[in-house]
Amino acid sequence: MRLTTGLLAMAAGVLLTLMTLTNAVLAQHTGAVFASWAAHGIGAVVALLLLLVTPRTATPEGRTPLWYYLGGIPGALVVVLSAIAVNSELALSGTIALMLTGQVIFGAVSDHLGLLDTPRRPITGTDLAVAGCVLSGAVLIVLGGA
Amino acid sequence: MLFFVVLALSNGLLIGVSRTINGRLSTRRGAFAASVWNHVVGLAFLSVVLLVMRVWPDVTRVPVAAYAGGVFGALFVAVNSYVFPRLGAMSAAVLVIAGQVLSAVVIDCVRQAALPSPLRLAGVALVLAGLCLPLLRK
């Protein structure tokens, strides 16, 4: 079960690569912010279609806090800020390497403290070793050039 | 320089915040609804940014295929919102990154019809070793 979920997470990573690849073509023609705006618009339509054709999920009891709906704001902010960072001395590879590092650091702190209403999760030694290997490998890949 | 380092690191943090919030929403409304909300709210936010920046590019010469990113994005947010609460923020981030960099290496290989640099191959080996660690412990 956990293995399947893990493989699904890696498949999400593949989707992210395909998205980055196509969005980069659009951004070359139009600029980073417009490219992301267009991708969000098309993504909204596609997500809505997917929602309509998939079985409805029952909403659990209780109210859904308003901020649960606002995950798109930090996500969209990333596009704007990374456009600035990419144009600095960090360049694309430096920016990506630091963004990956920031994600893993956030994940560790969030799991440990249970940030943003998430359940606390103990981080095991194995978890940290996996994170260390994958992150350093990813940074080597990003900085190592094609 | 330090400013940009902090900026790029904070960007990673924002990605984590965004995916965590979408994951929370998916536990109440489902993964596809989380993807809809993420895209609609992000679109509204970026519309304001575009209006403030007053930039409207010439889109007549853009190949249609370049717009396919939105399709991958819609699927990505749904799948990621599903796995996030199940795996936890750190493991989910690590596995997504693994899938991302490994597929990027494969795509670069195919597009350039060349093997990756030695440094990249070392990176691939490290990522794969990391992914195998939990399997060895069982």
Side-chain angles (χ1 to χ4, degrees):
Chain A
M1 176 60 198
R2 207 181 140 80
L3 185 68
T4 325
T5 319
L7 288 173
L8 210 51
M10 289 185 66
V14 179
L15 285 169
L16 208 50
T17 301
L18 294 172
M19 184 188 86
T20 311
L21 201 64
T22 34
N23 278 356
V25 179
L26 189 56
Q28 267 171 12
H29 282 85
T30 61
V33 178
F34 176 85
S36 179
W37 178 82
H40 272 83
I42 293 160
V45 175
V46 174
L48 193 62
L49 291 175
L50 287 170
L51 178 66
L52 293 175
V53 297
T54 46
R56 261 204 158 158
T57 43
T59 307
E61 293 274 321
R63 276 196 53 178
T64 307
L66 180 68
W67 61 269
Y68 274 32
Y69 294 94
L70 301 181
I73 294 180
L77 197 56
V78 169
V79 181
V80 181
L81 297 182
S82 47
I84 300 171
V86 167
N87 287 316
S88 75
E89 292 161 70
L90 293 174
L92 183 61
S93 49
T95 305
I96 295 177
L98 286 164
M99 280 169 68
L100 296 181
T101 310
Q103 282 176 51
V104 176
I105 294 174
F106 172 82
V109 174
S110 172
D111 283 346
H112 187 70
L113 300 175
L115 296 182
L116 300 166
D117 270 2
T118 54
R120 282 190 181 188
R121 282 169 192 267
I123 296 169
T124 64
T126 314
D127 289 340
L128 280 179
V130 173
C133 283
V134 171
L135 182 61
S136 43
V139 170
L140 277 184
I141 290 171
V142 172
L143 300 181
Chain B
M1 184 65 179
L2 183 66
F3 169 77
F4 292 110
V5 170
V6 174
L7 180 72
L9 275 174
S10 325
N11 248 347
L13 188 145
L14 283 173
I15 292 175
V17 170
S18 173
R19 294 186 190 167
T20 303
I21 297 177
N22 288 333
R24 292 318 297 156
L25 184 58
S26 87
T27 62
R28 300 198 50 88
R29 306 296 302 269
F32 292 110
S35 186
V36 173
W37 280 100
N38 173 78
H39 285 88
V40 169
V41 171
L43 180 71
F45 177 81
L46 289 170
S47 301
V48 175
V49 174
L50 279 178
L51 283 174
V52 171
M53 285 171 44
R54 290 170 187 279
V55 280
W56 196 258
D58 170 27
V59 293
T60 48
R61 294 196 308 171
V62 180
V64 179
Y67 289 99
V71 181
F72 297 125
L75 285 169
F76 165 73
V77 177
V79 176
N80 191 67
S81 301
Y82 176 84
V83 298
F84 229 78
R86 286 167 175 79
L87 295 170
M90 189 174 84
S91 294
V94 165
L95 290 168
V96 169
I97 290 172
Q100 205 180 344
V101 292
L102 292 177
S103 58
V105 169
V106 172
I107 289 175
D108 277 347
C109 264
V110 173
R111 292 195 347 149
Q112 297 166 1
L115 277 178
S117 68
L119 205 56
R120 274 202 153 182
L121 285 176
V124 170
L126 251 178
V127 171
L128 291 176
L131 291 175
C132 292
L133 274 179
L135 304 173
L136 292 177
R137 278 182 65 96
K138 274 176 192 160

